[in-house]
Amino acid sequence: MEYYVGELSRPYLRTLSLMPENQETPIHFLKTWITPEKYFYRRNHFSYPMLSPHAFFLPITGEVKQTLIFPYCYLKSLSSKSVTMVLECSGNKRSRFSPRVYGEQWEDGAISQGVWKGVALRDLLNMSGLNSAAVEVVFEGYDYGKRTDMEGIFHYARSLPMEKAMHQDTIIAYELNGKSIPYAQGGPFRLIIPQWYAMASVKWLKQITVIDHNFDGPFQTVDYIYYPHKEDDIGKKPVTNIKTDSIIQQPLSYTTLDTGVHNINGIAWTGYGTITDVELSFDEGTTWKRAKLRKDTNQQYAWTFWEYQWNVEEEGEYTIMCRAKDSTGGVQPLEAEWNRKGYGYNAVYTIKVKVE
Amino acid sequence: MEYYVGELSRPYLRTLSLMPENQETPIHFLKTWITPEKYFYRRNHFSYPMLSPHAFFLPITGEVKQTLIFPYCYLKSLSSKSVTMVLECSGNKRSRFSPRVYGEQWEDGAISQGVWKGVALRDLLNMSGLNSAAVEVVFEGYDYGKRTDMEGIFHYARSLPMEKAMHQDTIIAYELNGKSIPYAQGGPFRLIIPQWYAMASVKWLKQITVIDHNFDGPFQTVDYIYYPHKEDDIGKKPVTNIKTDSIIQQPLSYTTLDTGVHNINGIAWTGYGTITDVELSFDEGTTWKRAKLRKDTNQQYAWTFWEYQWNVEEEGEYTIMCRAKDSTGGVQPLEAEWNRKGYGYNAVYTIKVKVE
């Protein structure tokens, strides 16, 4: 029967743009611990870079005792570590801001979870040896292109303060989920920064440079800054750690349900700290009920699954709200902190359903 | 170089749900005359039906002189016709209604265009011969399942008034874009109704029955009805022909642009009649400028491409509106006619861009 042939019922990445390629994960279907590569969200600033064999040699230079160039195979022979972690674009959920802001209109799927394996950056920095003048470490990627707001050609580049660069779980990764890092995910070498939004995890690493001042590239000082006001830059601060957040994966908003018992479920995640509670409200936030959590306590950077059995007997329209709390006191606010470039949206997650 | 291997920069269908499967076309990338199968939107009421060899035999029965069963190969041997046409879900753009309505939250991509080849239904009805009692023709699909709003199991079934059933371009299709109709698109036999929204183009045809009354199945009398009011059914009327509509495919809303000349483009389409004008406004609808149209005048059911060269020298935020007009006087309104189930959204298409 020829009519059974072909792809049926397969979820795909949701494309926002192709040049550069930005595709988000259909998060309401992704209920696995590890996001498979084909569903891993993709976020790029520029076209995919052409890589030469040089990409398999990673230099560390600048304010170091000794410039070193690490070949791929040598780096793989060093003592390694693996981190299972949420990677989330700081613009995730941008389309939910009100008033709306310019930029890629992400819904909820600029987030994925993977196991990254690599070498601790501090091991490499210690091999090079830091000069006393060292203030920050700059990570330059192979990707480059134009910006709409200034003249010139720019490589994507970001810096880290020395403390974060020397964090035990800041790694130069070469594997994702047990395989060489896929090209679209930034291989052969990608910087991986747990707890921070993904702009810090620079893809296609070209060079690491220790500098004696604060880096002022446009992806450090123009983008990835919270600007609280539309018209001026007063009160600006850099985007760093992931905010406490959650999502309802089931049911979807604006769906209709039968009366009876329904399993409401989703995931919750945070940057510093770990998720301690997920709560649901069926009365616009007046009272909150605790969901059951399922997490791997050995994986502090990973997301937490949650679920709640909802018994609904009465027909009608319902608003369901969800909020997560973390061990540092982080909690999702009723309203997100608006900012001009639309980063860090983490308001209470709200859906509507009709029971009939 | 292993890092070049793998799928890059490919747009996908945008998944809304998998059971039933509802996936829309990423319309801002589809600028081809014919939508390839892999990007053809999918809209289902139920799980995909299991088809037996019976599906290759199509019965016409009821108020006919003679019940006939048409085998697939026999039907393909009859005189055929092809129609190139827009197929659009009546719920397309549902997510744009304000207040929002329940149902699948389609954005703009529940629309595709294909060439359907088949036999005119009236040829088949004439072979069977109609009884004088004939009032409507009912088309039942193989797909079936439960509804949330009533007890029981229902097949998807719709009827047509005799006039539309006997229209020269109402066909029993067996090919899409030169190949057997793909299973996900309703093969082996699909009813194809140009000018009307796609709920009329019944997939996986199981049986055609001529009846002597008005059909009252739930997909005819509960769904696919415009209910103008939230709380009562006053003023209801059936969903039939496609409303005059358009979309801006480039640029995308909430993107930033350089100063200079930009090509603004998209498509426009309508049900009865043909597109005569597409107009753009840059001043909230006060004045309108005509876009250049590109259409195939031999294909009255197909969409029309349009484009406009926009020269913008001044930085700032811009609202761009687009509206289509057709030969029957149809024009996109500033505000869509709200209805409880969210059909036929066709308000002026509006985007915002920032020039910097």
Side-chain angles (χ1 to χ4, degrees):
Chain A
M1 299 287 288
E2 62 182 312
Y3 291 101
Y4 290 97
V5 177
E7 273 187 320
L8 285 179
S9 300
R10 183 186 153 187
Y12 302 91
L13 288 172
R14 174 172 174 266
T15 308
L16 283 82
S17 65
L18 287 184
M19 290 290 277
E21 183 181 28
N22 286 311
Q23 305 211 70
E24 66 180 74
T25 306
I27 196 168
H28 40 291
F29 302 121
L30 282 183
K31 302 182 179 179
T32 54
W33 179 243
I34 296 302
T35 309
E37 182 200 339
K38 66 179 173 183
Y39 299 138
F40 219 96
Y41 84 97
R42 297 175 175 193
R43 193 272 183 264
N44 292 289
H45 295 82
F46 304 116
S47 299
Y48 283 103
M50 295 294 286
L51 296 185
S52 77
H54 291 288
F56 289 82
F57 296 84
L58 183 64
I60 296 189
T61 186
E63 294 291 343
V64 288
K65 303 265 186 276
Q66 191 179 10
T67 290
L68 291 177
I69 298 178
F70 293 94
Y72 186 73
C73 294
Y74 174 71
L75 212 132
K76 286 185 77 166
S77 74
L78 298 176
S79 173
S80 70
K81 63 174 17 187
S82 292
V83 288
T84 301
M85 61 168 237
V86 168
L87 195 66
E88 183 187 17
C89 175
S90 56
N92 194 22
K93 302 187 175 181
R94 177 180 286 130
S95 62
R96 295 177 173 271
F97 275 107
S98 176
R100 285 181 75 157
V101 296
Y102 292 87
E104 211 62 79
Q105 296 297 300
W106 299 106
E107 296 188 3
D108 307 331
I111 180 172
S112 294
Q113 180 155 290
V115 183
W116 299 88
K117 181 180 172 184
V119 179
L121 173 64
R122 68 178 179 187
D123 292 352
L124 305 182
L125 291 174
N126 286 337
M127 283 190 229
S128 271
L130 293 171
N131 288 341
S132 58
V135 171
E136 288 192 338
V137 185
V138 178
F139 304 87
E140 186 185 13
Y142 273 101
D143 48 330
Y144 66 90
K146 292 182 180 178
R147 296 173 57 98
T148 54
D149 60 349
M150 52 185 81
E151 293 293 315
I153 301 284
F154 300 87
H155 272 261
Y156 185 74
R158 292 270 312 174
S159 71
L160 287 178
M162 206 49 76
E163 187 193 345
K164 193 70 180 171
M166 297 298 277
H167 187 285
Q168 61 173 357
D169 292 329
T170 290
I171 63 175
I172 305 300
Y174 48 76
E175 279 189 12
L176 170 60
N177 299 342
K179 292 189 198 163
S180 298
I181 298 173
Y183 174 58
Q185 294 302 335
F189 297 124
R190 181 171 187 176
L191 177 65
I192 287 294
I193 309 292
Q195 300 176 321
W196 283 26
Y197 284 115
M199 76 280 149
S201 295
V202 177
K203 295 194 285 293
W204 307 295
L205 274 180
K206 181 170 187 268
Q207 182 160 298
I208 297 173
T209 312
V210 181
I211 62 174
D212 64 358
H213 57 280
N214 291 318
F215 180 59
D216 67 351
F219 296 99
Q220 192 79 25
T221 58
V222 178
D223 298 334
Y224 302 114
I225 301 286
Y226 294 111
Y227 299 101
H229 306 293
K230 185 170 165 62
E231 303 293 353
D232 63 57
D233 293 356
I234 295 167
K236 71 177 180 178
K237 56 180 188 205
V239 174
T240 55
N241 60 299
I242 295 173
K243 294 185 180 183
T244 311
D245 203 2
S246 67
I247 193 173
I248 299 174
Q249 293 174 301
Q250 185 185 302
L252 298 180
S253 198
Y254 288 97
T255 50
T256 55
L257 302 173
D258 286 322
T259 54
V261 177
H262 296 280
N263 184 295
I264 306 177
N265 58 58
I267 53 174
W269 64 95
T270 192
Y272 304 142
T274 56
I275 295 295
T276 52
D277 272 307
V278 174
E279 300 172 330
L280 297 181
S281 176
F282 299 88
D283 55 9
E284 306 281 346
T286 308
T287 62
W288 294 85
K289 293 164 194 297
R290 288 174 84 166
K292 194 176 141 196
L293 306 187
R294 184 162 53 85
K295 60 180 174 176
D296 183 340
T297 47
N298 292 322
Q299 300 294 348
Q300 61 167 311
Y301 308 130
W303 55 40
T304 297
F305 294 107
W306 60 265
E307 64 175 357
Y308 182 84
Q309 300 300 319
W310 184 40
N311 187 4
V312 56
E313 295 299 340
E314 209 165 318
E315 296 183 357
E317 298 183 24
Y318 291 87
T319 298
I320 306 176
M321 300 170 112
C322 167
R323 73 175 177 199
K325 295 179 174 178
D326 81 0
S327 56
T328 69
V331 58
Q332 290 178 254
L334 273 175
E335 200 168 327
E337 280 183 64
W338 189 91
N339 62 95
R340 194 168 74 224
K341 290 200 171 224
Y343 302 119
Y345 185 98
N346 75 328
V348 163
Y349 196 84
T350 302
I351 66 168
K352 292 192 184 228
V353 296
K354 186 158 79 175
V355 176
E356 62 183 19
Chain B
M1 299 288 288
E2 62 182 312
Y3 293 101
Y4 290 97
V5 176
E7 274 187 318
L8 283 180
S9 300
R10 182 185 153 187
Y12 302 91
L13 289 172
R14 176 174 172 264
T15 308
L16 282 82
S17 65
L18 287 184
M19 291 287 278
E21 184 182 28
N22 287 311
Q23 306 211 72
E24 67 180 70
T25 306
I27 196 167
H28 41 293
F29 302 120
L30 282 182
K31 301 182 179 180
T32 55
W33 179 244
I34 296 302
T35 309
E37 182 201 340
K38 66 181 174 183
Y39 299 138
F40 219 96
Y41 85 97
R42 298 175 174 193
R43 193 272 184 265
N44 292 288
H45 296 83
F46 303 115
S47 298
Y48 284 103
M50 294 294 286
L51 297 184
S52 77
H54 291 288
F56 289 84
F57 297 84
L58 183 64
I60 297 189
T61 186
E63 294 292 344
V64 289
K65 303 264 188 276
Q66 191 179 9
T67 289
L68 291 176
I69 298 178
F70 294 93
Y72 186 74
C73 294
Y74 175 70
L75 213 133
K76 286 185 77 165
S77 74
L78 298 176
S79 172
S80 70
K81 61 174 18 188
S82 293
V83 289
T84 301
M85 59 169 238
V86 168
L87 195 67
E88 183 187 18
C89 176
S90 56
N92 194 20
K93 302 187 176 182
R94 177 179 287 130
S95 63
R96 294 177 173 271
F97 275 107
S98 176
R100 286 181 73 158
V101 296
Y102 291 87
E104 211 62 78
Q105 296 297 300
W106 298 106
E107 296 187 4
D108 307 331
I111 182 171
S112 294
Q113 180 155 289
V115 183
W116 298 88
K117 181 179 175 186
V119 179
L121 174 63
R122 67 179 180 188
D123 293 350
L124 304 183
L125 290 173
N126 286 338
M127 284 190 227
S128 271
L130 293 172
N131 289 341
S132 59
V135 171
E136 288 192 339
V137 186
V138 178
F139 304 86
E140 186 184 16
Y142 274 102
D143 48 331
Y144 66 90
K146 291 181 179 179
R147 295 172 56 97
T148 54
D149 60 349
M150 53 185 80
E151 293 293 313
I153 301 286
F154 301 87
H155 271 261
Y156 185 74
R158 292 270 312 173
S159 71
L160 287 178
M162 205 50 75
E163 187 193 345
K164 193 73 181 168
M166 297 298 277
H167 187 286
Q168 62 173 355
D169 292 328
T170 289
I171 63 175
I172 304 299
Y174 49 76
E175 278 188 12
L176 170 60
N177 299 342
K179 291 189 198 164
S180 299
I181 299 174
Y183 175 56
Q185 294 301 336
F189 297 124
R190 181 171 185 173
L191 178 65
I192 286 295
I193 311 290
Q195 300 176 320
W196 283 25
Y197 284 115
M199 76 279 148
S201 294
V202 178
K203 295 194 286 291
W204 306 295
L205 274 180
K206 182 171 187 267
Q207 181 162 297
I208 297 173
T209 311
V210 181
I211 62 173
D212 64 0
H213 57 280
N214 293 317
F215 180 60
D216 68 351
F219 296 99
Q220 192 78 25
T221 58
V222 179
D223 297 334
Y224 301 115
I225 301 286
Y226 294 111
Y227 299 99
H229 306 292
K230 186 170 164 62
E231 303 293 353
D232 63 58
D233 293 356
I234 294 167
K236 69 176 182 180
K237 56 181 188 206
V239 175
T240 55
N241 60 302
I242 294 172
K243 295 184 179 183
T244 310
D245 204 1
S246 67
I247 192 174
I248 300 174
Q249 293 175 301
Q250 185 183 302
L252 298 180
S253 197
Y254 287 98
T255 50
T256 55
L257 303 173
D258 285 323
T259 55
V261 178
H262 296 279
N263 184 293
I264 306 178
N265 59 57
I267 54 174
W269 64 95
T270 193
Y272 304 143
T274 55
I275 294 296
T276 52
D277 271 309
V278 174
E279 300 172 330
L280 296 182
S281 176
F282 299 89
D283 55 9
E284 305 281 346
T286 308
T287 63
W288 293 86
K289 294 165 193 299
R290 287 174 85 166
K292 192 175 144 197
L293 306 187
R294 183 161 53 84
K295 60 180 175 177
D296 183 340
T297 49
N298 292 322
Q299 300 294 348
Q300 61 168 312
Y301 308 130
W303 56 40
T304 297
F305 294 106
W306 61 264
E307 63 176 357
Y308 182 84
Q309 300 300 319
W310 183 42
N311 187 3
V312 55
E313 296 299 342
E314 209 166 318
E315 298 183 358
E317 297 183 25
Y318 292 87
T319 298
I320 306 176
M321 299 170 112
C322 167
R323 72 176 178 198
K325 295 179 173 179
D326 80 3
S327 56
T328 70
V331 58
Q332 290 177 253
L334 272 175
E335 200 168 328
E337 280 183 65
W338 188 92
N339 62 94
R340 193 167 76 223
K341 289 199 172 226
Y343 301 119
Y345 185 99
N346 75 329
V348 164
Y349 195 84
T350 303
I351 65 167
K352 292 190 182 228
V353 296
K354 187 160 77 175
V355 176
E356 62 183 16

